[in-house]
Amino acid sequence: MSRRSLLRAIGGGAAVSTLAGCGVPAAYIGPGERGASDRSRQDKKLTFANWPLYIDTDDKDKTKRPSLAAFEKRTGIDVRYTEEINDNDEFFGKISPSLMNHQETGRDLIVISDWMCARFVRLGWVQEMDRAHQPHVTKYLDPLLRSPHFDPGRKFTVPWQSGITGIAYNKRRVGREIKHVSDLWADDLKGRVTLLSGLDEAFALLLQGDGVDVTKWTADDFHRMCDKVEKMVNSHHIRRFTGNDYIKDLSSGDVLACQAYSGDVIQLQADDPDIEFIVPEEGGELWAESLMVPNLARHKRNAERLIDYYYEPEVAAELAAWVNYVCPVPAARDVLASSKDKERAELAEDPLIFPDDTMRKRLAIARDITSKERTEFAKRWNALAGL
C-alpha cells in the first residue's frame, strides 16, 4: 500500500480544512521577525514532522529508520521524528495559530505539499535557509525543481520527494494506448473515467490538456477548462471525483482511465502489469512535497544539516528505493544502477522514479493559485466535484 493510499484509508483526505479554506486574517510576518536564537550548537537535537510511510524503515523493525539513524550517528544530533501530517489543510490549521501569533510551533522541520508551501512562504511563516550550509542541495537538486513560481531559487523550501500527475489506465481493458488528456473523453470510456477531487491536485493536468502553459495560466484558462469538465459531468462521462481511492477503482476494473499520481502507479504495477502510467503528449504536472523550517524554530542549523544530508546521492538513493516517488536528486540514479542487488538496480531504470529525457521535456510546475483567486476558483471547482 502506498503512502497516499494509506492516508486515504485512515481518513486524512477528509480532514477538517475550514481554517485554510475560508482564508486567514492578514498575518504576514516580516523577515526580521522570523528567526529565534538558534540553540543548535549546544542543543544537539531537532524535531522533524513528516507524513506516514515517507521514510525508509528497517524490514525487521518498522520503528527503526536506517537513514535517520545514520545521520544521528554521524552528527550526534538526536532527531525526534513524528508522522503527524495526514492532510495539508489539517496541519495548517494545527500550527497556524502559533505562527500568526509569533509563537514557536515546537517543530524545526516540516514537510508539506508545494501548493501549501506557497501559502506559508506568502505569509512569511518560514525561514530562509542558508545554502552555505547546504552544498549538496546546491549541487544535486534537480534543475526542474529549482525555481517554482512561489519560491524562486528555492530560498525557503527544499523538495523532500517529488511526483507527477498524469494518467493511469488499464491497457488491456482499454485495448489501445492513451497518449492525450483528450483521450479520456472518448465515447467508449463514458462512465469509466475519474478525476481527482482536489482543485490543487487536478487543475494543472486538465489545463495542459487544453494546451495551456501552466507556468502562467489565467483565470480565463481556468474557467474554459471548467466549462469542458462541466459538460463531461452533466453527460455522466466522468464516473466520479476521487481522492486516492481511484486506486481501488482502477484495480477492480470499474474505472478504465483516470488522473493519477506516479508514485501510486508503481505500487499498482507490482500487482497488475496491465496498468500503465503516462505523461500526456501535452504535458504533465511535476509537483513536490517540500521541507521547510518554520518561524522561531530553535534548531535551524541542525535542520539545515539534515536537509543537506538527504541530498547526498547515496542517502537520496536509499530513500528513493523505499518510497518509490520521483527522486529530486538525479545523481542517485547512478548509485542505484551500480547496486549488486538486481531489484535496486532496476529502480534506476524506472521513469516514474527517474524520469527519462523525453518525459522530463513534458513536465512543468504549475504556478500556484493566489489567495485572491482561491475563493472563486474553489467555489466553482468544488461545485463540479460535488464537494
Side-chain angles (χ1 to χ4, degrees):
M1 180 178 283
S2 73
R3 179 181 65 84
R4 290 178 179 270
S5 305
L6 178 70
L7 298 185
R8 191 68 186 177
I10 64 179
V16 175
S17 58
T18 304
L19 176 61
C22 294
V24 177
Y28 177 76
I29 307 297
E33 301 176 88
R34 298 174 190 173
S37 177
D38 195 349
R39 301 170 181 166
S40 293
R41 187 178 297 277
Q42 67 270 26
D43 197 7
K44 304 282 278 186
K45 65 182 181 181
L46 71 93
T47 299
F48 180 7
N50 204 346
W51 301 73
L53 300 179
Y54 218 12
I55 198 168
D56 54 305
T57 59
D58 187 274
D59 290 338
K60 296 179 180 179
D61 185 350
K62 298 302 182 183
T63 65
K64 294 182 178 180
R65 304 175 178 94
S67 62
L68 269 186
F71 172 80
E72 290 176 319
K73 183 177 181 180
R74 181 197 295 187
T75 64
I77 296 171
D78 177 57
V79 181
R80 180 175 178 266
Y81 185 84
T82 64
E83 295 184 333
E84 65 169 314
I85 305 175
N86 292 313
D87 177 85
N88 287 288
D89 284 332
E90 178 189 49
F91 188 68
F92 179 89
K94 181 186 290 187
I95 68 173
S96 59
S98 296
L99 290 165
M100 71 173 61
N101 288 297
H102 299 242
Q103 298 170 353
E104 294 181 43
T105 67
R107 302 158 184 87
D108 301 296
L109 195 58
I110 61 176
V111 177
I112 52 179
S113 299
D114 270 358
W115 64 266
M116 180 60 80
C117 290
R119 188 176 299 170
F120 278 75
V121 172
R122 186 168 60 245
L123 289 168
W125 288 1
V126 290
Q127 299 183 61
E128 182 173 347
M129 297 184 200
D130 186 348
R131 291 289 183 255
H133 295 153
Q134 298 178 316
H136 296 102
V137 173
T138 300
K139 182 176 181 179
Y140 291 116
L141 174 58
D142 191 330
L144 287 178
L145 295 166
R146 283 183 181 268
S147 196
H149 184 271
F150 70 90
D151 185 15
R154 286 281 183 185
K155 296 179 180 179
F156 300 94
T157 64
V158 174
W160 172 249
Q161 293 292 284
S162 185
I164 303 165
T165 302
I167 295 173
Y169 72 104
N170 189 304
K171 190 173 182 179
R172 177 178 58 81
R173 287 179 167 138
V174 172
R176 64 181 182 277
E177 289 188 342
I178 286 179
K179 296 183 178 182
H180 306 275
V181 174
S182 60
D183 291 341
L184 293 174
W185 317 133
D187 290 342
D188 61 341
L189 295 182
K190 183 175 181 178
R192 310 291 291 279
V193 171
T194 61
L195 300 181
L196 294 168
S197 59
L199 168 61
D200 295 277
E201 286 75 23
F203 83 98
L205 184 71
L206 296 171
L207 287 175
Q208 287 169 309
D210 283 344
V212 175
D213 180 350
V214 295
T215 66
K216 50 186 179 183
W217 59 272
T218 67
D220 287 343
D221 294 326
F222 176 82
H223 287 297
R224 186 172 61 252
M225 176 271 291
C226 286
D227 289 342
K228 180 178 291 186
V229 172
E230 186 172 21
K231 290 179 181 178
M232 293 300 165
V233 170
N234 292 339
S235 67
H236 305 290
H237 188 96
I238 295 171
R239 183 183 183 91
R240 66 191 186 102
F241 292 79
T242 74
N244 293 88
D245 44 340
Y246 70 80
I247 295 170
K248 178 183 66 177
D249 292 342
L250 190 60
S251 298
S252 69
D254 289 338
V255 162
L256 299 182
C258 59
Q259 281 189 310
Y261 303 118
S262 55
D264 287 340
V265 177
I266 292 177
Q267 306 287 335
L268 287 173
Q269 289 172 333
D271 297 320
D272 188 348
D274 290 324
I275 301 295
E276 296 275 346
F277 178 89
I278 64 108
V279 173
E281 295 292 335
E282 304 85 7
E285 184 193 11
L286 181 68
W287 47 264
E289 288 168 323
S290 293
L291 297 143
M292 299 190 299
V293 179
N295 287 357
L296 305 182
R298 291 293 186 174
H299 306 93
K300 180 175 183 284
R301 177 70 183 93
N302 290 344
E304 290 171 338
R305 290 184 69 181
L306 180 64
I307 294 169
D308 197 59
Y309 165 77
Y310 276 100
Y311 269 73
E312 296 177 19
E314 295 78 11
V315 181
E318 288 295 321
L319 186 58
W322 200 89
V323 300
N324 288 172
Y325 279 82
V326 175
C327 180
V329 184
R333 181 181 183 277
D334 292 337
V335 176
L336 290 173
S338 64
S339 174
K340 295 180 180 178
D341 182 278
K342 182 180 178 181
E343 289 187 4
R344 288 174 65 86
E346 288 176 348
L347 292 176
E349 303 305 318
D350 192 327
L352 302 188
I353 299 176
F354 298 100
D356 57 31
D357 290 341
T358 300
M359 184 181 290
R360 290 173 68 87
K361 290 177 182 177
R362 300 203 299 270
L363 297 175
I365 299 177
R367 80 157 177 87
D368 52 299
I369 300 170
T370 68
S371 56
K372 291 182 179 179
E373 295 170 327
R374 183 164 293 277
T375 301
E376 174 191 350
F377 291 175
K379 183 178 180 179
R380 174 141 201 217
W381 180 260
N382 291 346
L384 291 174
L387 299 178

